[in-house]
Amino acid sequence: MKLTRTLLGLASLVLATALPSPFSHTTTTTSSSSSSFPSTSGLEFTIDGTTGYFAGTNSYWIGFLTDNADVDKVMSDLKSSGLKILRVWGFNDVTTQPSDGTVWFQLHENGKSTINTGADGLERLDYVVSSAEQHDIKLIINFVNYWTDYGGMSAYVSAYGGSTENDFYNTTSIQTAYQTYIEAVVSRYKNSSAVFAWELANEPRCPGCDTSVVYDWVEKTSKYIKGLDAEHLVCIGDEGFGLDIDSDGSFQYLYDEGTNFTANLGIETIDFATFHLYPDSWGTTDAWGNGWITSHGAACAAVGKPCLLEEYGVPSNHCSVESPWQQTALNTTGVTGDLFWQYGDTLSTGESPDDGNTVYYGTSDYTCLVTDHVAAIDKKNAE
Ligand SMILES: *[C@@H]1O[C@H](CO)[C@@H](O)[C@H](O)[C@H]1NC(C)=O
Ligand SMILES: *[C@@H]1O[C@H](CO)[C@@H](O)[C@H](O)[C@H]1NC(C)=O
Ligand SMILES: *[C@@H]1O[C@H](CO)[C@@H](O)[C@H](O)[C@H]1NC(C)=O
Ligand SMILES: *[C@@H]1O[C@H](CO)[C@@H](O)[C@H](O)[C@H]1NC(C)=O
């Protein structure tokens, strides 16, 4: 999701006191045999020995928290709710170094990138991974944003040269820096049982580009990741744009944003598909979402890899709008999980960021979209 109203909320979170990480680079792993890592089985996921459908959510901010107890609270609440997959931002790119106490992961300046592995850097992500391990939560960790929130592709472009974000995908110096960052993150957590999947980017688009630009980048990057870590799943993080099945001619089904959903899913080193759903910002009706879900399920079934409805949200009426989508996803062959956008909880600093789409732990919306949904999933997985 493109964030617009969440940044102020986060400012208070990053001011909290940093605690020392129990978790340094050399002690990152709770070793676990590769056979126990999450995998795909036909059109479904297998996690910790269970094959079927899984629910989860998104927290872009959890890696930027500075109080370990807050991270643990989120993980504990997710676990007790039966949410299994958590998607987090594995990037936090800046173009000028922030003052101490503000979390950032990578600085891009004057044709050079510097990775912050310190206490206000990747050690914050280390704690998320270690807490996820302890709570049996599986993480999707992504490496860059298409949007400018937390830096994004434009942070690379501004440091290395180029005229638009589109230059991110095929400028050699930028791709070298991006791969160096990927290697830093993957090598830190590659043995971790908490990794569900590595994800190339959040919502990559290349408006007006031939779809070969993104296709080539997906192919090259996913191959590179498999070379670093052959055991974990790899996905793209795209919104699912560009597919012919059941197209109603709306822009999401077209190729103008530079992605071909079906072609990209066919790449050997991509294990499953991702797609998002935001009728409010996309100018569609809420009910349109059901067709968006079934068309992706059909596309995934045709390619023979599972689909994850990785983000979905609306600014109001969360339960009545999103519950039908969840039911559609759960009964669509080819769709094997959904992650609502976004998770909310009460932290030591107050409520976590609210962009209108937030579903807070313990509310009636939460009962509807998490408790009831997880019960329906458990029932189906047991069939
Ligand atoms: C790089 O991508 C741009 C679109 O952003 C395209 O115009 C250009 O031809 C591409 N260059 C190469 C070498 O593929
Ligand atoms: C990960 O596991 C492999 C094989 O079990 C081992 O060789 C490697 O050193 C481990 N890496 C880390 C960072 O612990
Ligand atoms: C998208 O990819 C599919 C599968 O490779 C292909 O059949 C289709 O022609 C592509 N569409 C466009 C517009 O590139
Ligand atoms: C699937 O879910 C939708 C709710 O969106 C419902 O209308 C439909 O009847 C369900 N189909 C089956 C086969 O359960």
Side-chain angles (χ1 to χ4, degrees):
M1 154 122 209
K2 178 180 183 173
L3 303 174
T4 47
R5 282 168 289 158
T6 50
L7 299 172
L8 277 177
L10 193 71
S12 62
L13 295 173
V14 297
L15 293 173
T17 316
L19 296 174
S21 171
F23 203 93
S24 75
H25 191 173
T26 48
T27 57
T28 296
T29 57
T30 312
S31 273
S32 94
S33 76
S34 61
S35 63
S36 72
F37 289 156
S39 62
T40 59
S41 312
L43 296 176
E44 295 180 313
F45 292 139
T46 298
I47 303 180
D48 293 343
T50 300
T51 297
Y53 191 102
F54 294 89
T57 186
N58 286 271
S59 171
Y60 70 86
W61 41 262
I62 194 167
F64 315 148
L65 297 176
T66 51
D67 185 339
N68 290 346
D70 284 334
V71 175
D72 289 335
K73 177 171 199 300
V74 170
M75 293 294 175
S76 166
D77 289 345
L78 293 172
K79 183 182 168 83
S80 65
S81 308
L83 292 174
K84 197 64 181 170
I85 304 173
L86 180 68
R87 178 165 174 264
V88 304
W89 278 190
F91 58 82
N92 187 336
D93 294 291
V94 295
T95 51
T96 48
Q97 188 169 333
S99 54
D100 286 353
T102 299
V103 176
W104 59 280
F105 295 166
Q106 191 174 212
L107 169 67
H108 306 279
E109 225 176 15
N110 306 323
K112 189 166 159 280
S113 299
T114 309
I115 298 170
N116 179 5
T117 56
D120 54 6
L122 287 175
E123 283 186 18
R124 298 314 311 149
L125 196 56
D126 293 348
Y127 196 79
V128 172
V129 173
S130 111
S131 184
E133 285 174 356
Q134 280 153 32
H135 294 91
D136 298 321
I137 300 298
K138 306 297 175 186
L139 303 170
I140 296 180
I141 299 177
N142 58 20
F143 300 121
V144 69
N145 206 352
Y146 170 70
W147 308 106
T148 55
D149 309 290
Y150 303 97
M153 294 179 183
S154 72
Y156 286 85
V157 172
S158 75
Y160 291 90
S163 49
T164 73
E165 268 107 338
N166 291 357
D167 294 315
F168 172 86
Y169 299 101
N170 61 8
T171 302
T172 304
S173 56
I174 289 177
Q175 288 302 307
T176 300
Y178 169 65
Q179 290 195 347
T180 299
Y181 184 72
I182 289 175
E183 186 187 12
V185 175
V186 170
S187 63
R188 257 173 129 82
Y189 313 125
K190 65 179 274 190
N191 291 2
S192 174
S193 61
V195 174
F196 180 73
W198 306 116
E199 182 171 277
L200 272 46
N202 175 51
E203 301 188 337
R205 298 183 180 187
C206 192
C209 302
D210 190 276
T211 55
S212 64
V213 174
V214 169
Y215 180 95
D216 290 349
W217 167 76
V218 169
E219 186 171 52
K220 188 175 64 176
T221 309
S222 58
K223 251 189 204 152
Y224 176 73
I225 297 169
K226 289 288 187 184
L228 298 170
D229 174 6
E231 306 298 336
H232 280 109
L233 299 171
V234 176
C235 62
I236 301 173
D238 62 309
E239 295 153 286
F241 295 159
L243 80 163
D244 290 332
I245 297 176
D246 296 336
S247 170
D248 62 358
S250 57
F251 85 87
Q252 295 84 355
Y253 283 94
L254 304 180
Y255 301 83
D256 301 346
E257 298 297 337
T259 58
N260 182 331
F261 176 83
T262 315
N264 293 342
L265 183 57
I267 293 170
E268 198 187 333
T269 39
I270 291 297
D271 295 299
F272 65 91
T274 55
F275 68 108
H276 298 179
L277 173 56
Y278 288 106
D280 189 66
S281 49
W282 289 357
T284 65
T285 65
D286 296 333
W288 176 92
N290 293 301
W292 183 242
I293 293 166
T294 54
S295 60
H296 284 81
C300 279
V303 175
K305 297 179 187 178
C307 269
L308 175 65
L309 172 53
E310 184 186 61
E311 289 189 22
Y312 56 95
V314 277
S316 56
N317 301 320
H318 300 135
C319 174
S320 59
V321 173
E322 296 173 41
S323 183
W325 296 340
Q326 292 181 332
Q327 289 164 39
T328 300
L330 185 55
N331 69 25
T332 296
T333 300
V335 179
T336 195
D338 68 83
L339 319 182
F340 67 89
W341 180 283
Q342 63 165 321
Y343 181 77
D345 211 333
T346 305
L347 309 174
S348 61
T349 46
E351 287 199 331
S352 65
D354 187 7
D355 60 1
N357 300 279
T358 309
V359 177
Y360 285 95
Y361 178 77
T363 59
S364 60
D365 279 343
Y366 199 89
T367 303
C368 167
L369 294 173
V370 179
T371 315
D372 296 350
H373 185 40
V374 167
I377 291 168
D378 288 347
K379 187 164 169 261
K380 177 156 193 248
N381 285 348
E383 274 166 12

PDB file of all heavy atoms in Angstrom, residues 282-302:
ATOM      1  N   TRP A 282      -8.439   2.475  -5.872  1.00  0.00           N
ATOM      2  CA  TRP A 282      -8.379   2.054  -7.279  1.00  0.00           C
ATOM      3  C   TRP A 282      -9.620   2.484  -8.065  1.00  0.00           C
ATOM      4  O   TRP A 282      -9.715   2.229  -9.274  1.00  0.00           O
ATOM      5  CB  TRP A 282      -8.255   0.529  -7.377  1.00  0.00           C
ATOM      6  CG  TRP A 282      -6.928  -0.009  -6.952  1.00  0.00           C
ATOM      7  CD1 TRP A 282      -5.828   0.694  -6.552  1.00  0.00           C
ATOM      8  CD2 TRP A 282      -6.551  -1.399  -6.892  1.00  0.00           C
ATOM      9  NE1 TRP A 282      -4.795  -0.166  -6.252  1.00  0.00           N
ATOM     10  CE2 TRP A 282      -5.212  -1.447  -6.441  1.00  0.00           C
ATOM     11  CE3 TRP A 282      -7.214  -2.596  -7.165  1.00  0.00           C
ATOM     12  CZ2 TRP A 282      -4.524  -2.652  -6.274  1.00  0.00           C
ATOM     13  CZ3 TRP A 282      -6.535  -3.789  -6.996  1.00  0.00           C
ATOM     14  CH2 TRP A 282      -5.199  -3.814  -6.557  1.00  0.00           C
ATOM     15  N   GLY A 283     -10.606   3.062  -7.383  1.00  0.00           N
ATOM     16  CA  GLY A 283     -11.792   3.525  -8.099  1.00  0.00           C
ATOM     17  C   GLY A 283     -12.701   2.411  -8.598  1.00  0.00           C
ATOM     18  O   GLY A 283     -13.399   2.584  -9.599  1.00  0.00           O
ATOM     19  N   THR A 284     -12.702   1.280  -7.921  1.00  0.00           N
ATOM     20  CA  THR A 284     -13.632   0.205  -8.277  1.00  0.00           C
ATOM     21  C   THR A 284     -14.659   0.057  -7.151  1.00  0.00           C
ATOM     22  O   THR A 284     -14.515   0.660  -6.092  1.00  0.00           O
ATOM     23  CB  THR A 284     -12.902  -1.145  -8.437  1.00  0.00           C
ATOM     24  OG1 THR A 284     -12.373  -1.515  -7.160  1.00  0.00           O
ATOM     25  CG2 THR A 284     -11.763  -1.046  -9.436  1.00  0.00           C
ATOM     26  N   THR A 285     -15.678  -0.770  -7.385  1.00  0.00           N
ATOM     27  CA  THR A 285     -16.610  -1.052  -6.294  1.00  0.00           C
ATOM     28  C   THR A 285     -15.993  -2.096  -5.377  1.00  0.00           C
ATOM     29  O   THR A 285     -15.062  -2.816  -5.764  1.00  0.00           O
ATOM     30  CB  THR A 285     -17.942  -1.627  -6.832  1.00  0.00           C
ATOM     31  OG1 THR A 285     -17.675  -2.896  -7.443  1.00  0.00           O
ATOM     32  CG2 THR A 285     -18.584  -0.681  -7.843  1.00  0.00           C
ATOM     33  N   ASP A 286     -16.528  -2.183  -4.177  1.00  0.00           N
ATOM     34  CA  ASP A 286     -16.030  -3.192  -3.238  1.00  0.00           C
ATOM     35  C   ASP A 286     -16.289  -4.601  -3.773  1.00  0.00           C
ATOM     36  O   ASP A 286     -15.451  -5.498  -3.665  1.00  0.00           O
ATOM     37  CB  ASP A 286     -16.696  -3.023  -1.867  1.00  0.00           C
ATOM     38  CG  ASP A 286     -16.332  -1.693  -1.218  1.00  0.00           C
ATOM     39  OD1 ASP A 286     -15.245  -1.153  -1.517  1.00  0.00           O
ATOM     40  OD2 ASP A 286     -17.155  -1.188  -0.420  1.00  0.00           O
ATOM     41  N   ALA A 287     -17.474  -4.798  -4.365  1.00  0.00           N
ATOM     42  CA  ALA A 287     -17.843  -6.130  -4.862  1.00  0.00           C
ATOM     43  C   ALA A 287     -16.942  -6.583  -6.013  1.00  0.00           C
ATOM     44  O   ALA A 287     -16.760  -7.788  -6.239  1.00  0.00           O
ATOM     45  CB  ALA A 287     -19.302  -6.133  -5.306  1.00  0.00           C
ATOM     46  N   TRP A 288     -16.360  -5.609  -6.737  1.00  0.00           N
ATOM     47  CA  TRP A 288     -15.410  -5.911  -7.818  1.00  0.00           C
ATOM     48  C   TRP A 288     -14.275  -6.801  -7.300  1.00  0.00           C
ATOM     49  O   TRP A 288     -13.707  -7.620  -8.033  1.00  0.00           O
ATOM     50  CB  TRP A 288     -14.875  -4.583  -8.353  1.00  0.00           C
ATOM     51  CG  TRP A 288     -13.807  -4.654  -9.410  1.00  0.00           C
ATOM     52  CD1 TRP A 288     -13.986  -4.656 -10.762  1.00  0.00           C
ATOM     53  CD2 TRP A 288     -12.388  -4.695  -9.204  1.00  0.00           C
ATOM     54  NE1 TRP A 288     -12.769  -4.699 -11.408  1.00  0.00           N
ATOM     55  CE2 TRP A 288     -11.772  -4.723 -10.478  1.00  0.00           C
ATOM     56  CE3 TRP A 288     -11.570  -4.705  -8.072  1.00  0.00           C
ATOM     57  CZ2 TRP A 288     -10.387  -4.760 -10.647  1.00  0.00           C
ATOM     58  CZ3 TRP A 288     -10.187  -4.752  -8.227  1.00  0.00           C
ATOM     59  CH2 TRP A 288      -9.606  -4.786  -9.505  1.00  0.00           C
ATOM     60  N   GLY A 289     -13.973  -6.646  -6.008  1.00  0.00           N
ATOM     61  CA  GLY A 289     -12.872  -7.405  -5.415  1.00  0.00           C
ATOM     62  C   GLY A 289     -13.044  -8.910  -5.519  1.00  0.00           C
ATOM     63  O   GLY A 289     -12.050  -9.641  -5.635  1.00  0.00           O
ATOM     64  N   ASN A 290     -14.284  -9.383  -5.517  1.00  0.00           N
ATOM     65  CA  ASN A 290     -14.485 -10.834  -5.590  1.00  0.00           C
ATOM     66  C   ASN A 290     -14.000 -11.402  -6.926  1.00  0.00           C
ATOM     67  O   ASN A 290     -13.349 -12.444  -6.969  1.00  0.00           O
ATOM     68  CB  ASN A 290     -15.957 -11.171  -5.341  1.00  0.00           C
ATOM     69  CG  ASN A 290     -16.356 -10.843  -3.912  1.00  0.00           C
ATOM     70  OD1 ASN A 290     -15.778 -11.369  -2.966  1.00  0.00           O
ATOM     71  ND2 ASN A 290     -17.305  -9.933  -3.747  1.00  0.00           N
ATOM     72  N   GLY A 291     -14.292 -10.685  -8.012  1.00  0.00           N
ATOM     73  CA  GLY A 291     -13.812 -11.117  -9.324  1.00  0.00           C
ATOM     74  C   GLY A 291     -12.293 -11.001  -9.445  1.00  0.00           C
ATOM     75  O   GLY A 291     -11.639 -11.816 -10.092  1.00  0.00           O
ATOM     76  N   TRP A 292     -11.751  -9.976  -8.816  1.00  0.00           N
ATOM     77  CA  TRP A 292     -10.288  -9.786  -8.806  1.00  0.00           C
ATOM     78  C   TRP A 292      -9.610 -10.994  -8.135  1.00  0.00           C
ATOM     79  O   TRP A 292      -8.583 -11.493  -8.597  1.00  0.00           O
ATOM     80  CB  TRP A 292      -9.970  -8.495  -8.067  1.00  0.00           C
ATOM     81  CG  TRP A 292      -8.532  -8.059  -7.997  1.00  0.00           C
ATOM     82  CD1 TRP A 292      -7.775  -7.899  -6.859  1.00  0.00           C
ATOM     83  CD2 TRP A 292      -7.688  -7.659  -9.092  1.00  0.00           C
ATOM     84  NE1 TRP A 292      -6.520  -7.440  -7.187  1.00  0.00           N
ATOM     85  CE2 TRP A 292      -6.441  -7.279  -8.550  1.00  0.00           C
ATOM     86  CE3 TRP A 292      -7.860  -7.592 -10.480  1.00  0.00           C
ATOM     87  CZ2 TRP A 292      -5.366  -6.842  -9.331  1.00  0.00           C
ATOM     88  CZ3 TRP A 292      -6.782  -7.149 -11.256  1.00  0.00           C
ATOM     89  CH2 TRP A 292      -5.558  -6.784 -10.689  1.00  0.00           C
ATOM     90  N   ILE A 293     -10.249 -11.497  -7.081  1.00  0.00           N
ATOM     91  CA  ILE A 293      -9.697 -12.656  -6.362  1.00  0.00           C
ATOM     92  C   ILE A 293      -9.844 -13.934  -7.205  1.00  0.00           C
ATOM     93  O   ILE A 293      -8.884 -14.689  -7.379  1.00  0.00           O
ATOM     94  CB  ILE A 293     -10.398 -12.821  -4.993  1.00  0.00           C
ATOM     95  CG1 ILE A 293     -10.045 -11.634  -4.079  1.00  0.00           C
ATOM     96  CG2 ILE A 293     -10.004 -14.148  -4.340  1.00  0.00           C
ATOM     97  CD1 ILE A 293     -10.914 -11.508  -2.841  1.00  0.00           C
ATOM     98  N   THR A 294     -11.018 -14.165  -7.760  1.00  0.00           N
ATOM     99  CA  THR A 294     -11.195 -15.421  -8.506  1.00  0.00           C
ATOM    100  C   THR A 294     -10.372 -15.424  -9.801  1.00  0.00           C
ATOM    101  O   THR A 294      -9.867 -16.476 -10.202  1.00  0.00           O
ATOM    102  CB  THR A 294     -12.684 -15.689  -8.820  1.00  0.00           C
ATOM    103  OG1 THR A 294     -13.246 -14.550  -9.490  1.00  0.00           O
ATOM    104  CG2 THR A 294     -13.480 -15.945  -7.549  1.00  0.00           C
ATOM    105  N   SER A 295     -10.199 -14.267 -10.434  1.00  0.00           N
ATOM    106  CA  SER A 295      -9.393 -14.265 -11.671  1.00  0.00           C
ATOM    107  C   SER A 295      -7.933 -14.592 -11.361  1.00  0.00           C
ATOM    108  O   SER A 295      -7.268 -15.292 -12.133  1.00  0.00           O
ATOM    109  CB  SER A 295      -9.528 -12.936 -12.424  1.00  0.00           C
ATOM    110  OG  SER A 295      -9.097 -11.857 -11.644  1.00  0.00           O
ATOM    111  N   HIS A 296      -7.434 -14.105 -10.231  1.00  0.00           N
ATOM    112  CA  HIS A 296      -6.050 -14.456  -9.863  1.00  0.00           C
ATOM    113  C   HIS A 296      -5.931 -15.928  -9.484  1.00  0.00           C
ATOM    114  O   HIS A 296      -4.936 -16.571  -9.818  1.00  0.00           O
ATOM    115  CB  HIS A 296      -5.528 -13.541  -8.750  1.00  0.00           C
ATOM    116  CG  HIS A 296      -5.169 -12.182  -9.256  1.00  0.00           C
ATOM    117  ND1 HIS A 296      -6.104 -11.201  -9.466  1.00  0.00           N
ATOM    118  CD2 HIS A 296      -3.987 -11.656  -9.667  1.00  0.00           C
ATOM    119  CE1 HIS A 296      -5.514 -10.133  -9.960  1.00  0.00           C
ATOM    120  NE2 HIS A 296      -4.234 -10.375 -10.098  1.00  0.00           N
ATOM    121  N   GLY A 297      -6.947 -16.448  -8.784  1.00  0.00           N
ATOM    122  CA  GLY A 297      -6.926 -17.879  -8.466  1.00  0.00           C
ATOM    123  C   GLY A 297      -6.843 -18.716  -9.737  1.00  0.00           C
ATOM    124  O   GLY A 297      -6.074 -19.678  -9.827  1.00  0.00           O
ATOM    125  N   ALA A 298      -7.618 -18.317 -10.742  1.00  0.00           N
ATOM    126  CA  ALA A 298      -7.612 -19.063 -12.009  1.00  0.00           C
ATOM    127  C   ALA A 298      -6.254 -18.947 -12.708  1.00  0.00           C
ATOM    128  O   ALA A 298      -5.740 -19.923 -13.258  1.00  0.00           O
ATOM    129  CB  ALA A 298      -8.730 -18.546 -12.919  1.00  0.00           C
ATOM    130  N   ALA A 299      -5.661 -17.741 -12.666  1.00  0.00           N
ATOM    131  CA  ALA A 299      -4.344 -17.551 -13.297  1.00  0.00           C
ATOM    132  C   ALA A 299      -3.289 -18.388 -12.570  1.00  0.00           C
ATOM    133  O   ALA A 299      -2.426 -19.006 -13.207  1.00  0.00           O
ATOM    134  CB  ALA A 299      -3.959 -16.072 -13.275  1.00  0.00           C
ATOM    135  N   CYS A 300      -3.369 -18.429 -11.249  1.00  0.00           N
ATOM    136  CA  CYS A 300      -2.403 -19.215 -10.475  1.00  0.00           C
ATOM    137  C   CYS A 300      -2.577 -20.707 -10.761  1.00  0.00           C
ATOM    138  O   CYS A 300      -1.599 -21.428 -10.941  1.00  0.00           O
ATOM    139  CB  CYS A 300      -2.550 -18.927  -8.981  1.00  0.00           C
ATOM    140  SG  CYS A 300      -1.701 -17.412  -8.506  1.00  0.00           S
ATOM    141  N   ALA A 301      -3.832 -21.151 -10.804  1.00  0.00           N
ATOM    142  CA  ALA A 301      -4.090 -22.569 -11.082  1.00  0.00           C
ATOM    143  C   ALA A 301      -3.547 -22.941 -12.460  1.00  0.00           C
ATOM    144  O   ALA A 301      -2.979 -24.022 -12.642  1.00  0.00           O
ATOM    145  CB  ALA A 301      -5.585 -22.857 -10.986  1.00  0.00           C
ATOM    146  N   ALA A 302      -3.687 -22.030 -13.426  1.00  0.00           N
ATOM    147  CA  ALA A 302      -3.208 -22.317 -14.787  1.00  0.00           C
ATOM    148  C   ALA A 302      -1.680 -22.455 -14.809  1.00  0.00           C
ATOM    149  O   ALA A 302      -1.137 -23.292 -15.526  1.00  0.00           O
ATOM    150  CB  ALA A 302      -3.665 -21.223 -15.752  1.00  0.00           C
TER     151      ALA A 302
END
